[in-house]
Amino acid sequence: MNAISCIPETIAKVGVTCVDVDADEWPPLERFGPPPLQRFPIDALPEPLRGWVSSESEATQTPPDMATLLALTATSVVLAKKVLVEPWAGYREPVNIYSATLLDPANRKSAVFADAKRPIELIEQELHDAALQSVAERQSERRQDQLRLNKLEKKTADEKDPEKRVAASEEASTLAKKLATTPEPVMPTLVVEDTTTEKLALLMHENGERLAVLSAEGGIFAAMGGRYSAKGGADDFEMYLKAHAGDSSKVHRISRSPVVLESPALTIGLAIQPEVIRGLAGKSAFRGRGLLGRFIYAYPESWIGKRKIRTVPMPKALELEYQSLIKRLFQIQPRPDGSPNIVRLNDEAANEFEEYCRWIEDELGAGELEMMRDWGGKLAGLTLRIAGLMHCVKHANSDPLSNSIDVETMRNAQHIAKWAIPHAAATFELLSCDIVPECVGDAVHVIRSLTKDSAQIPSTVTRRNIQRHGQSRFNNDATRLDNVLSLLEQANYLRRRSSAEKGGKVTYDVSPRFRAESSNVPIASLSPLSPDSGISRQERSTFKI
């Protein structure tokens, strides 16, 4: 048996003894936080999105996953309700998407968010400038009509002459019908951040049933959860479910007529902290009713601690090219009757997509999608939506509506969708994680303290030594120290010795696996569903995420 030995100089530095322990006696290490997931496959993106994402990631020193999802969301904002993807007769999918990138604070989410939605803000400003005078005139006309109506109604009530009363009543009735059937003039809106469900429905009604919620915060989940609900905090996301699929919706309003939407198309793009998702753990309806299953997630590894200090900013030409792309896509118009354009798959792409759907069905039955069927059941549709968006980007300089989606675009969309599977799994694990986030942070701190300034990890460590290296955390909180030591034992990093050392020191053996793998320590979640958990598929089937 091979044992891993310690270097005496290293032991002296950390103040522990060294005892060889056979690695075969120790189970695999479990993980804290999200597992290390594959970085977004940038090569799957069409130009100029590929170049923009690469440059944005480098300039801001952020994972490309975030820039990608936000850029795809930007294309969704300007194409929603204008394009439907039809792989074969009887099946059509809209192209509006819901996306969420999960990153902890200080990861420059706001900076990337601002850059991604900048073209949309410029378009919205142009729309405002063009509509300003017309809207002001029509609003003035409407106010005048309302004043006339008030006077006519008062005259109808007060007039003693029967003929004059009838004439005033008829004129009031005509004017009331005009006001009721003429939409109230409003400034065009493409994007909101945080709003009530009622206001969201009204804005969609006023803007051709198309709108986007883009936010670097998670307030929209509070709205979905009933923060503004007249039902006293009950979930309020029926609108969000239907606006993703394009189903008709009626939103009732207090003291006013309901807002009726025939085929709404909502886009959502979020860059939020993992804690926002973890905060939904006690609200089963978010998953039970399929809302969280409608999102494409990115849960990338943070670049904090490895970021370059001085980076090359995005070239101005590339920034303008991205803005030009979004504007060209926005200029695509629906059919003359207002219905979306139909973009079809060519035969090769349709066959490829059919095989892909069979693969999804197998995975839903007894594969990696089995434990998250709410999300996996919508994966084929998500893939079509991504394919539709990338097709329009690919042919933005020509005519995307006169071209069919080719097999290359379909394969790239499938590549992106498969990349998203473990990211969705890691996101959903946050809902089932019963470990206090503070304890996970403490565990990571202890792991790093054991490896700091050491070429090799010591074979044993005392409780007192761990407390000394984490004074600000553990000095006045013995329970907190006990909790993190217990967690590290559960994760197979430490094993408490049955008898104390001389002087009553509580001593822990350090896993030889950890010592051997110290150059690549896994920092991901303690979950039975982690790919490297060592639990068989049959055993994993007893868990639900």
Side-chain angles (χ1 to χ4, degrees):
M1 295 185 293
N2 295 324
I4 301 174
S5 61
C6 293
I7 303 173
E9 290 80 6
T10 301
I11 302 166
K13 285 182 182 179
V14 294
V16 297
T17 60
C18 177
V19 178
D20 288 346
V21 183
D22 196 323
D24 294 338
E25 298 177 0
W26 287 73
L29 302 176
E30 288 288 357
R31 299 176 177 271
F32 301 101
L37 302 174
Q38 178 189 2
R39 187 175 294 182
F40 187 88
I42 297 177
D43 289 344
L45 293 172
E47 291 290 7
L49 283 190
R50 185 190 310 163
W52 185 86
V53 166
S54 297
S55 183
E56 179 71 14
S57 175
E58 175 65 20
T60 59
Q61 288 295 284
T62 54
D65 315 53
M66 175 163 57
T68 298
L69 285 201
L70 292 175
L72 283 175
T73 302
T75 66
S76 168
V77 173
V78 294
L79 288 171
K81 211 167 166 61
K82 297 177 181 179
V83 174
L84 293 176
V85 180
E86 183 180 88
W88 48 71
Y91 179 19
R92 292 178 177 177
E93 195 76 37
V95 296
N96 55 301
I97 63 172
Y98 289 4
S99 74
T101 301
L102 280 63
L103 277 170
D104 285 319
N107 273 282
R108 300 169 180 167
K109 296 188 293 291
S110 296
V112 180
F113 208 92
D115 292 341
K117 73 174 184 177
R118 178 61 177 160
I120 299 171
E121 293 175 334
L122 293 174
I123 292 171
E124 194 171 55
Q125 187 58 55
E126 289 181 5
L127 294 175
H128 283 186
D129 293 343
L132 185 59
Q133 183 175 341
S134 174
V135 168
E137 291 174 351
R138 286 183 289 130
Q139 287 177 338
S140 176
E141 181 182 344
R142 186 177 182 86
R143 288 193 297 270
Q144 294 174 49
D145 286 343
Q146 186 63 58
L147 289 172
R148 285 177 55 210
L149 177 60
N150 294 341
K151 291 181 179 180
L152 286 169
E153 289 176 340
K154 186 176 186 307
K155 184 176 181 179
T156 300
D158 297 341
E159 182 60 57
K160 296 182 179 180
D161 186 320
E163 291 185 3
K164 291 182 179 180
R165 185 167 60 249
V166 170
S169 177
E170 290 177 349
E171 187 178 355
S173 178
T174 300
L175 196 53
K177 290 177 182 178
K178 175 186 175 183
L179 287 169
T181 56
T182 303
E184 187 171 348
V186 294
M187 296 296 289
T189 301
L190 298 179
V191 175
V192 296
E193 286 196 17
D194 182 16
T195 185
T196 66
T197 301
E198 180 180 316
K199 182 64 175 177
L200 181 69
L202 180 60
L203 285 169
M204 294 192 75
H205 181 72
E206 295 171 344
N207 289 276
E209 299 191 348
R210 181 178 67 247
L211 198 68
V213 177
L214 304 180
S215 177
E217 303 294 339
I220 190 66
F221 285 112
M224 294 173 180
R227 179 173 66 185
Y228 304 117
S229 174
K231 296 178 285 186
D235 63 72
D236 197 22
F237 45 71
E238 188 78 22
M239 172 69 192
Y240 300 92
L241 298 175
K242 293 185 174 182
H244 179 268
D247 296 336
S248 61
S249 177
K250 179 185 289 187
V251 177
H252 294 276
R253 299 184 293 170
I254 300 174
S255 303
R256 301 186 67 181
S257 59
V259 176
V260 179
L261 302 173
E262 297 297 331
S263 181
L266 180 66
T267 294
I268 298 179
L270 307 174
I272 56 178
Q273 298 176 23
E275 194 61 30
V276 172
I277 299 297
R278 190 180 283 112
L280 304 178
K283 302 176 182 178
S284 60
F286 275 84
R287 282 203 74 182
R289 295 187 61 190
L291 180 63
L292 295 183
R294 284 163 163 77
F295 281 79
I296 178 172
Y297 297 96
Y299 197 169
E301 181 182 0
S302 171
W303 286 18
I304 291 179
K306 297 169 286 187
R307 296 180 294 195
K308 298 175 184 177
I309 303 303
R310 182 179 293 186
T311 60
V312 178
M314 178 179 292
K316 191 65 176 179
L318 193 53
E319 178 185 347
L320 294 176
E321 188 176 14
Y322 172 66
Q323 293 179 6
S324 177
L325 167 69
I326 300 301
K327 187 169 184 177
R328 286 197 304 274
L329 295 179
F330 177 75
Q331 290 169 344
I332 293 175
Q333 296 300 314
R335 290 173 168 178
D337 63 359
S339 63
N341 301 284
I342 308 300
V343 176
R344 295 178 172 84
L345 278 61
N346 66 22
D347 291 342
E348 190 177 4
N351 292 335
E352 178 78 18
F353 180 67
E354 185 177 2
E355 287 300 314
Y356 172 71
C357 289
R358 290 196 183 98
W359 174 83
I360 289 177
E361 194 65 22
D362 290 342
E363 295 300 312
L364 287 169
E368 59 183 321
L369 297 176
E370 181 183 5
M371 295 296 101
M372 48 179 187
R373 288 175 175 169
D374 57 325
W375 187 86
K378 299 188 182 302
L379 186 57
L382 171 63
T383 306
L384 278 182
R385 293 178 188 226
I386 293 171
L389 295 172
M390 295 203 303
H391 168 79
C392 291
V393 170
K394 184 177 181 178
H395 296 282
N397 288 326
S398 54
D399 182 9
L401 304 181
S402 62
N403 292 281
S404 298
I405 297 177
D406 57 34
V407 70
E408 179 189 33
T409 300
M410 179 50 61
R411 286 173 179 164
N412 283 334
Q414 292 173 15
H415 191 183
I416 292 172
K418 289 182 178 181
W419 158 86
I421 293 173
H423 286 259
T427 299
F428 289 144
E429 286 186 19
L430 293 173
L431 297 172
S432 60
C433 182
D434 58 358
I435 302 170
V436 179
E438 178 188 70
C439 193
V440 174
D442 289 344
V444 173
H445 170 80
V446 172
I447 290 170
R448 288 174 177 165
S449 70
L450 289 173
T451 61
K452 189 175 183 181
D453 298 328
S454 298
Q456 192 172 353
I457 311 300
S459 63
T460 65
V461 65
T462 66
R463 183 180 188 277
R464 184 177 301 172
N465 185 257
I466 290 175
Q467 182 179 19
R468 187 182 304 124
H469 281 81
Q471 292 184 25
S472 62
R473 295 169 181 260
F474 309 128
N475 262 11
N476 298 313
D477 196 341
T479 300
R480 183 173 176 179
L481 177 58
D482 289 336
N483 286 341
V484 72
L485 289 170
S486 175
L487 179 58
L488 288 168
E489 285 192 89
Q490 293 176 46
N492 305 318
Y493 285 83
L494 303 179
R495 181 186 292 167
R496 181 169 176 167
R497 292 189 171 183
S498 56
S499 59
E501 297 288 311
K502 292 181 179 180
K505 295 180 181 179
V506 177
T507 303
Y508 293 83
D509 288 318
V510 180
S511 168
R513 295 179 185 271
F514 172 43
R515 288 148 50 200
E517 301 170 12
S518 60
S519 61
N520 186 28
V521 177
I523 307 289
S525 70
L526 262 180
S527 167
L529 296 167
S530 296
D532 300 325
S533 64
I535 296 177
S536 68
R537 172 179 289 182
Q538 182 177 1
E539 291 172 311
R540 287 202 308 269
S541 68
T542 63
F543 297 90
K544 183 177 181 182
I545 60 175

